[in-house]
Amino acid sequence: MSPFIATIMLSSLGLGTTLTFMSSHWLLAWMGLEINTLAIIPLMAQHHHPRAVEATTKYFLAQATAAATILFASTINAWFTGEWNINCLSHPIATTLMIMALALKVGLAPMHFWMPPVMQGLSLPTGLIMATWQKLAPLALIMQMAQYTHPQLLTLLGLSSVLVGGWGGLNQTQLRKIMAYSSIAHLGWMIIITQFKPQLTMLALLTYIIMTSTLFLTFKSLQTTKINTLALTWAKTPIITTTTALSLLSLGGLPPMTGFMPKWLILQELTLQKLPLTATIMALSALLSLYFYLRLCYSMTLTIVPNTNSSQTPWRLQNTQNTMHLATFITMTIMMLPLTPLAQAMMT
């Protein structure tokens, strides 16, 4: 894809997301979501490969279904209440349909079925956009609707996403599918707290974007998409291998890394809201995700190559890749836990 076309597509992505952020009318928000979807489709299909085309088709069908449901739900609400304003979504059927459509848009369980196969068919840079930027607009709408939605529905979506994201990633060997299930699990943490403290949802989203960007950039630097190829990275890039293992532990929410901060604050808020059972299930479900992150760490650091490498030691060779942005994201992924008091002060 030429730089000119790529610039147009990425600018359209930004335009669609910004339009949804700024809109107070359901029709305008729907238009922003559609611009967002249509802008990423050429980026997904730029590699003329059957898997990329299949992933693009699946994504388009899922997003078109969600967009039609959003338009249908907003029309039902306008028919009964006479309001198109996002904050005036009061009809119960329209509210339920809208939440489920946005769950399909963003990839929440049980509407997650399209996410892993779509991620598997994408290149790593496009997969990074899919896992981070494409979540922003639907999550913004869910956060605006959270106060008017049945709380049990959001809790059910959050718990199912954390459980599905944990169980689904256990038996995977493809890194992009693992990151897809990781995305589903983290979305569950964001959704379950948005009805009580939306600031925590923003904090969890920010830390998730930082950690996911770190791992996708690392996989791109290592040029790997499978677990078994991670066993070769220790001989090539020992420093990146070490920081990647720490980044995976941070994504799993293990202290003292950055990823522990949002999980800790969310569990604390759920306990304050007199929901100890929900907090316990969320904490136990996080162990499922931590298991397959530890699997990746094991493959990278504790697995040796079956035969010796007689060539020059790879890590002595000159690295020609620009690693400044990767170093920045790695530092933020590992060392931001001491900023927890600052994050709490900004949320109050």
Side-chain angles (χ1 to χ4, degrees):
M1 182 177 289
S2 68
F4 179 70
I5 300 297
T7 302
I8 292 177
M9 294 299 108
L10 293 175
S11 301
S12 300
L13 271 179
L15 173 64
T17 305
T18 306
L19 190 62
T20 304
F21 282 170
M22 298 177 62
S23 61
S24 59
H25 194 283
W26 274 117
L27 195 57
L28 202 60
W30 173 81
M31 289 173 61
L33 292 173
E34 286 305 286
I35 293 173
N36 214 353
T37 301
L38 294 175
I40 199 174
I41 283 176
L43 297 174
M44 296 171 67
Q46 61 179 320
H47 303 290
H48 300 291
H49 190 275
R51 284 187 179 177
V53 175
E54 179 187 354
T56 306
T57 305
K58 289 179 179 178
Y59 179 75
F60 176 75
L61 291 175
Q63 297 299 304
T65 304
T69 310
I70 289 173
L71 201 58
F72 181 59
S74 58
T75 306
I76 289 177
N77 186 72
W79 181 272
F80 284 100
T81 64
E83 286 288 345
W84 284 91
N85 196 295
I86 292 178
N87 294 324
C88 295
L89 192 67
S90 57
H91 195 271
I93 296 178
T95 304
T96 305
L97 280 175
M98 187 67 71
I99 282 292
M100 299 310 288
L102 292 173
L104 179 59
K105 270 275 182 190
V106 81
L108 276 169
M111 306 294 182
H112 68 285
F113 52 86
W114 60 270
M115 186 76 176
V118 166
M119 288 281 285
Q120 176 60 26
L122 302 179
S123 63
L124 288 172
T126 313
L128 173 60
I129 296 174
M130 179 66 64
T132 55
W133 186 268
Q134 291 299 96
K135 311 291 184 189
L136 298 179
L139 270 177
L141 294 175
I142 291 176
M143 289 176 64
Q144 292 183 66
M145 289 181 53
Q147 305 303 320
Y148 312 101
T149 309
H150 205 279
Q152 275 75 18
L153 179 60
L154 290 176
T155 303
L156 181 62
L157 287 173
L159 286 175
S160 60
S161 295
V162 174
L163 288 169
V164 167
W167 283 110
L170 290 180
N171 201 30
Q172 301 298 327
T173 59
Q174 301 288 332
L175 295 178
R176 286 165 294 184
K177 279 193 175 181
I178 288 177
M179 296 307 296
Y181 283 109
S182 168
S183 172
I184 294 168
H186 279 84
L187 282 172
W189 286 87
M190 299 175 206
I191 292 300
I192 204 164
I193 201 62
T194 188
Q195 55 188 323
F196 304 116
K197 203 166 186 180
Q199 299 94 326
L200 280 180
T201 302
M202 295 297 298
L203 178 65
L205 178 62
L206 178 62
T207 54
Y208 164 74
I209 289 175
I210 292 172
M211 295 183 293
T212 303
S213 301
T214 300
L215 288 172
F216 269 100
L217 292 173
T218 301
F219 296 151
K220 185 176 182 297
S221 174
L222 298 175
Q223 297 179 351
T224 178
T225 57
K226 298 179 181 178
I227 287 184
N228 55 6
T229 56
L230 290 177
L232 306 172
T233 58
W234 180 257
K236 296 178 181 178
T237 51
I239 295 178
I240 290 184
T241 304
T242 305
T243 56
T244 304
L246 293 176
S247 300
L248 286 166
L249 295 178
S250 179
L251 195 64
L254 201 67
M257 267 72 76
T258 306
F260 178 63
M261 175 169 55
K263 289 184 170 61
W264 175 24
L265 296 176
I266 288 172
L267 291 176
Q268 182 184 26
E269 184 64 27
L270 288 174
T271 307
L272 291 176
Q273 295 292 335
K274 303 295 189 292
L275 295 171
L277 180 60
T278 304
T280 304
I281 296 174
M282 297 287 288
L284 293 176
S285 301
L287 296 177
L288 296 171
S289 300
L290 184 61
Y291 174 79
F292 60 77
Y293 297 136
L294 287 173
R295 239 177 105 218
L296 294 179
C297 294
Y298 173 81
S299 300
M300 296 185 72
T301 58
L302 299 177
T303 305
I304 60 172
V305 185
N307 51 5
T308 57
N309 188 0
S310 59
S311 62
Q312 184 180 4
T313 307
W315 56 267
R316 294 181 182 272
L317 301 177
Q318 183 70 28
N319 186 10
T320 58
Q321 297 189 56
N322 182 15
T323 57
M324 180 59 69
H325 53 291
L326 178 58
T328 304
F329 276 110
I330 287 175
T331 305
M332 296 171 68
T333 299
I334 297 174
M335 301 182 180
M336 280 177 57
L337 186 64
L339 297 180
T340 304
L342 176 62
Q344 288 181 305
M346 292 177 64
M347 288 186 298
T348 55

